[in-house]
Amino acid sequence: MELEAHFPTTSSDPDTPRAATTAINRTLQLLLSDDSDSQIQAAKEIRRLTKTSQRCRRQLSPAVKPLVSMLRLDSVDSNEAALLALLNLAVKDEKNKVNIVAAGALEPIIGFLQSQNSNMQEYATAALLTLSASTINKPTISAAGAIPLLVEILRYGSPQARVDAVLALYNLSTYSDNISIILETKPIPSIVDLLKTCKKSSKTAEKCSALTESLVGFEDGRTALTSEEGGVLAVVEVLENGSLQSREHAVGALLTMCQSDRCKYREPILREGVIPGLLELTVQGTPKSQSKAQTLLRLLRDSPHPRSELQPDTLENIVSNLISQIDSEEQSRKAKKMLAEMVQVSMEQSLRHLQQRAVVCTPTDLPINNCTSEVSLK
């Protein structure tokens, strides 16, 4: 899912469609006037009208070009009013997103990323976050040189700008050609820093994890993550405490690393105490998380190859093997507790499955001996 920025405004939509149409026509006339104060007033009104109304966003689409022209004026007030109006016009409106970029908005917006005015920097970052939600805009935004500047915002911007920058980078990373460009700007230290400080269940952590998963598909990304102090640990903490989607991205990142070079990345991953979190994922994660967690557990044990028939290649045996290698008493205790819980949950799930099969096989209107299979529960 692509992300967009949202800014609070001070007023609500017009009460009726007729009132909205009247306000829209008046506002468009005002915007086309030669008076800068009137243009600013019109831009603020557009921001108000398009706060939540999709209909107003469509009807006010002719305002895009005049507003983009205002971005080029040597007036902070005009720039700010126009940028916020364009931001609201673009939210949840694909046509407006594309038209804003086509009208030449990227050049001034990217210029605002380098502004000493922190407000304009924040608004420009939010605008790129929203515009980058459009698949059509992704290569254009990258070609305009936005990615290195977004990474700079991620490093040094205000808290809100840093969050919007990483979300914009995530949006851009879903266009595959952009991933290598993002990686060249060395964003991983800043992503890790944001991961360390943000709430692990937040949307920010989810998109940081998703971006990290994409970046570790490259050797430079894997090296950067393991070289950054606390880099692998930050991913493990998301795996343990993140949302379901965040945890899926986190385990995906670690699995990608281990699959690329098990000998190189097995120890750095094990060292951060990943086993308890992986055990929990095998029974409580999404279907993808469960599969990835089980695969990663197999790769993390002494030998990634199946054991002999005397020691079947069950998840419990794999985990027992891993626990025996853990040096930390606390980590070993947690892993053993998680293994016991995992086995208990697995038994409960198996019991429920058997009971469901029994119910399916013995409908009330059929005799029991018509069942194709029978299960005895003790």
Side-chain angles (χ1 to χ4, degrees), residues 98-312:
V98 173
N99 289 337
I100 289 168
V101 170
L106 286 182
E107 183 181 353
I109 289 174
I110 288 173
F112 298 146
L113 287 181
Q114 303 170 78
S115 172
Q116 297 302 310
N117 184 319
S118 60
N119 285 337
M120 290 304 295
Q121 197 177 80
E122 281 192 18
Y123 300 152
T125 307
L128 286 176
L129 165 56
T130 297
L131 295 174
S132 64
S134 165
T135 300
I136 294 173
N137 287 341
K138 295 178 197 292
T140 310
I141 292 172
S142 172
I147 287 176
L149 295 171
L150 285 170
V151 174
E152 282 297 296
I153 298 293
L154 177 57
R155 288 192 185 107
Y156 305 116
S158 67
Q160 184 59 54
R162 293 182 69 211
V163 169
D164 287 347
V166 81
L167 298 182
L169 289 168
Y170 163 75
N171 281 354
L172 293 170
S173 75
T174 61
Y175 179 73
S176 58
D177 288 355
N178 285 339
I179 298 176
S180 58
I181 300 172
I182 294 171
L183 196 57
E184 288 171 3
T185 64
K186 304 187 185 307
I188 284 185
S190 301
I191 295 171
V192 168
D193 184 60
L194 195 55
L195 262 183
K196 288 177 180 178
T197 56
C198 73
K199 188 176 180 181
K200 299 302 179 286
S201 58
S202 66
K203 184 65 69 174
T204 301
E206 179 185 323
K207 298 310 174 185
C208 281
S209 302
L211 185 54
T212 300
E213 183 179 14
S214 296
L215 295 176
V216 297
F218 295 77
E219 181 59 30
D220 286 350
R222 296 189 288 271
T223 300
L225 185 64
T226 52
S227 300
E228 182 66 20
E229 184 177 356
V232 175
L233 178 59
V235 176
V236 170
E237 287 176 343
V238 173
L239 185 148
E240 293 175 334
N241 302 309
S243 66
L244 285 175
Q245 203 60 46
S246 297
R247 299 175 80 187
E248 185 176 306
H249 290 306
V251 71
L254 298 175
L255 179 59
T256 296
M257 294 171 67
C258 211
Q259 285 177 326
S260 71
D261 190 335
R262 177 180 176 273
C263 293
K264 183 175 182 179
Y265 295 112
R266 176 178 174 271
E267 285 303 322
I269 293 172
L270 275 176
R271 192 163 53 237
E272 302 301 350
V274 71
I275 302 303
L278 287 176
L279 284 173
E280 187 175 342
L281 272 188
T282 62
V283 291
Q284 295 183 2
T286 65
K288 284 185 179 179
S289 294
Q290 291 180 9
S291 174
K292 290 177 180 180
Q294 291 183 23
T295 302
L296 183 54
L297 282 167
R298 289 185 174 91
L299 287 171
L300 291 175
R301 70 178 181 183
D302 257 343
S303 168
H305 305 295
R307 297 279 171 151
S308 67
E309 292 182 5
L310 294 176
Q311 190 178 9

